[in-house]
Amino acid sequence: DPAASPFASGPLPADAGLGASILRPSTFGELIREQEALQTGTILDRLCLRSNGEEALGGLPRGCTLAFGGPPGKGKTRTALAALVRVAAGGQNVGLVVAEEGFRDLDGSGRDDLCSRLTKIGTSLTGLDEDAFRAQVLEHTFVIESQYHRGQTWDDFVARYRYLVEVEGIRFVVIDSLNMLDASRGRTANNLSALKTYNHEHGVTALCLGQVKDTGQPVGGEAMVHAADVVFLIEELSLTSKDMAALWGGQYRDKIDVLRAVKSVTTPTTPHLVRIVQSPSTGVIEVHPDHPEDYPLL
């Protein structure tokens, strides 16, 4: 079986263009680059650091594909929507991929749908009224509904995603959630790897929300963590001693929510956990008032 010994000796394929597909870094003009930031105005802007490690990057690493995971009800979607609003308000076209719920309740069931929540979060953050928000933010916002129960497949998503990037010129996308784009949920890591490669080629920054298992590990496991450029996780921290409780501003045996920067391939990350809380008015994740002074956020 030739597949069993792919490097068997013999003549090379008769293709004179093989050498043209091999990169020669010595021929590149600019070799060293600094990671640029895409400002979102959220806590996520402070988790990655500049190359000196002494100040925050001040945004998401531009051109990277980020995995943002955590338990349900912890503010991931609302924080991602806040990021989307901030970028769109700056005049950039943005995309929202919805795979977990319908974006608009067309039947009038009385549900506070995702479109409504986006508008309420956005008007609260920007101070715009509804008409101004429609003109200044929603005019730059494109939404893909990609629920597999409606017959949407991964290939359908890819085609429409490419349209947003290659026709509409979108360079920032929120995907909620990556796990739900594949009905089997067994190809999350492979899908993320393919998406990342495409984003690199087209300069797209993608914030992919994800679910976690009961163990606290993201769906897709270590392969998913390895595939993403940047990984942020919301976790529960048990205060197992009185000293620990005093440090984190909680009570002994309490559980608190923290945000951890697991990795970033292009930047240093903040080395400490960040105690977080959801804003009472918007549900967007913020730094908890009792976050330890010993662990300052740059």
Side-chain angles (χ1 to χ4, degrees):
D1 180 2
S5 54
F7 288 94
S9 60
L12 287 171
D15 184 351
L18 283 176
S21 64
I22 298 174
L23 301 179
R24 297 295 304 276
S26 63
T27 65
F28 296 171
E30 180 186 14
L31 291 176
I32 298 177
R33 295 177 175 176
E34 290 294 323
Q35 176 61 56
E36 297 180 4
L38 178 67
Q39 296 182 357
T40 69
T42 69
I43 190 176
L44 304 181
D45 291 354
R46 304 173 70 180
L47 299 181
C48 293
L49 309 180
R50 296 193 181 277
S51 57
N52 60 16
E54 297 178 357
E55 55 185 331
L57 183 64
L60 302 180
R62 190 182 292 272
C64 290
T65 300
L66 303 93
F68 181 25
K74 298 296 185 180
K76 299 188 304 297
T77 295
R78 289 177 177 270
T79 302
L81 292 179
L84 200 76
V85 165
R86 294 288 193 190
V87 176
Q92 298 184 49
N93 285 353
V94 300
L96 174 62
V97 179
V98 182
E100 291 198 5
E101 63 173 298
F103 181 72
R104 187 62 169 162
D105 178 17
L106 298 176
D107 295 331
S109 67
R111 182 174 66 90
D112 184 17
D113 58 30
L114 190 57
C115 180
S116 169
R117 299 191 320 261
L118 169 65
T119 302
K120 288 191 287 188
I121 291 170
T123 53
S124 177
L125 291 175
T126 61
L128 300 172
D129 60 26
E130 187 174 329
D131 289 338
F133 183 76
R134 183 190 300 271
Q136 298 182 35
V137 176
L138 295 185
E139 185 66 27
H140 298 289
T141 304
F142 296 74
V143 179
I144 294 176
E145 288 191 302
S146 194
Q147 299 92 340
Y148 64 76
H149 69 274
R150 293 184 174 179
Q152 301 295 328
T153 67
W154 171 257
D155 290 339
D156 294 330
F157 157 74
V158 169
R160 289 185 289 173
Y161 189 89
R162 289 189 60 189
Y163 174 85
L164 287 186
V165 173
E166 298 173 30
V167 177
E168 298 295 347
I170 284 173
R171 293 297 178 265
F172 179 54
V173 179
V174 169
I175 299 177
D176 187 14
S177 67
L178 186 68
N179 311 114
M180 301 299 287
L181 289 176
D182 171 35
S184 71
R185 304 196 194 183
R187 294 180 51 83
T188 299
N190 290 339
N191 291 344
L192 179 59
S193 181
L195 179 68
K196 177 185 70 173
T197 301
Y198 177 81
N199 289 339
H200 287 175
E201 293 171 349
H202 293 83
V204 179
T205 308
L207 181 60
C208 305
L209 308 190
Q211 302 165 355
V212 295
K213 303 175 183 178
D214 293 339
T215 60
Q217 291 297 312
V219 174
E222 288 298 324
M224 195 278 291
V225 173
H226 178 75
D229 292 316
V230 182
V231 179
F232 301 143
L233 288 182
I234 298 174
E235 301 172 336
E236 281 191 342
L237 179 65
S238 297
L239 305 180
T240 55
S241 71
K242 292 183 179 180
D243 288 342
M244 192 176 181
L247 173 66
W248 289 98
Q251 300 294 319
Y252 175 45
R253 294 181 178 174
D254 276 356
K255 291 184 177 181
I256 61 173
D257 292 328
V258 294
L259 184 56
R260 178 163 66 100
V262 178
K263 63 171 276 192
S264 171
V265 299
T266 64
T267 69
T269 57
T270 183
H272 307 297
L273 299 175
V274 181
R275 187 175 182 186
I276 56 174
V277 66
Q278 289 181 250
S279 165
S281 59
T282 63
V284 175
I285 297 171
E286 301 175 343
V287 181
H288 195 285
D290 293 326
H291 176 75
E293 294 182 0
D294 292 346
Y295 299 157
L297 278 175
L298 301 176

